[in-house]
Amino acid sequence: MTMIISQLGIQPDALQGETVIVTGAGGGIGYEAARALLWLGANVVIAEINHQNGRKAECALESEFGKDRVLFVHTDVGDEASVKNLYNLSNLAFGKVDAVINNATIAVLGQVKDLSIEEWDRSYHVNLRGPVLMAKTFLSDMIQRNHGVFACVSSTGTAFLGGYETFKAAQVHLANTLDAELEGTNISAYTIGPGLIPTETA
């Protein structure tokens, strides 16, 4: 299948030698982002909590781009030990991490008054605690090397989406804060708001 990025005049080796972690890359936006990054020459780490989806994505991407540039690491982004394991295995495989794309998410739907606090906690675990742990774990090395990108896939919404969008919108503030704190470095922090994409989650 022809990739749109291949039609934009971008050199296919533009990110050669770079290593990018994409959380939630077992499907949907994360998987297609991983494909595009591999086409651009980057090494890609699939950080995915669903073991079956992660392995399936790894195999598909290996068959398309080769085995040496793709790594699946079973990861719960909201768990500190799991993120540390992701850090260790990514560095063991590729020597460094140049960019993180915080794409992992869970959708918690319902009226604010009806959602249990357990559902709010579950959403916070992935949709905000996750990106914070990723920042705390990976930014120090980027700062030391004065090179890196930290991106969040954010969104904002309205009725019946509060349990999801409250934390996704908070990623915008997190990225803006990091952008200010990283001023004067060669590290970029920003958010991407792709809108509603008809993925399995959506």
Side-chain angles (χ1 to χ4, degrees), residues 11-177:
Q11 292 298 317
D13 60 351
L15 294 180
Q16 188 170 7
E18 302 286 289
T19 298
V20 184
I21 292 175
V22 184
T23 68
I29 293 171
Y31 176 77
E32 292 301 332
R35 282 189 73 218
L37 289 161
L38 285 160
W39 185 88
L40 288 167
N43 306 312
V44 171
V45 180
I46 300 164
E48 170 64 50
I49 195 168
N50 185 305
H51 197 276
Q52 182 177 354
N53 289 350
R55 283 288 179 217
K56 183 178 177 181
E58 181 183 45
C59 289
L61 293 172
E62 283 179 345
S63 68
E64 188 174 4
F65 297 100
K67 289 192 172 185
D68 295 336
R69 296 171 49 215
V70 185
L71 173 68
F72 161 59
V73 180
H74 182 252
T75 307
D76 176 354
V77 295
D79 180 83
E80 191 168 7
S82 186
V83 173
K84 185 63 177 177
N85 181 63
L86 173 65
Y87 171 90
N88 291 336
L89 293 180
S90 298
N91 279 283
L92 183 64
F94 300 116
K96 59 186 174 58
V97 172
D98 300 288
V100 170
I101 300 178
N102 293 282
N103 169 76
T105 191
I106 58 169
V108 176
L109 309 177
Q111 294 188 56
V112 171
K113 68 181 180 62
D114 295 331
L115 278 176
S116 69
I117 197 63
E118 288 78 17
E119 286 293 277
W120 284 92
D121 287 344
R122 195 165 69 91
S123 182
Y124 162 73
H125 182 86
V126 177
N127 294 323
L128 185 57
R129 178 182 167 92
V132 170
L133 283 174
M134 294 294 288
K136 290 177 64 63
T137 303
F138 290 95
L139 278 178
S140 292
D141 285 359
M142 294 182 189
I143 292 169
Q144 186 174 0
R145 292 186 294 109
N146 198 30
H147 175 77
V149 171
F150 189 86
C152 296
V153 180
S154 65
S155 62
T156 59
T158 181
F160 308 104
L161 294 168
Y164 168 73
E165 300 285 9
T166 297
F167 301 115
K168 294 293 282 185
Q171 291 184 22
V172 176
H173 187 72
L174 173 64
N176 289 345
T177 299

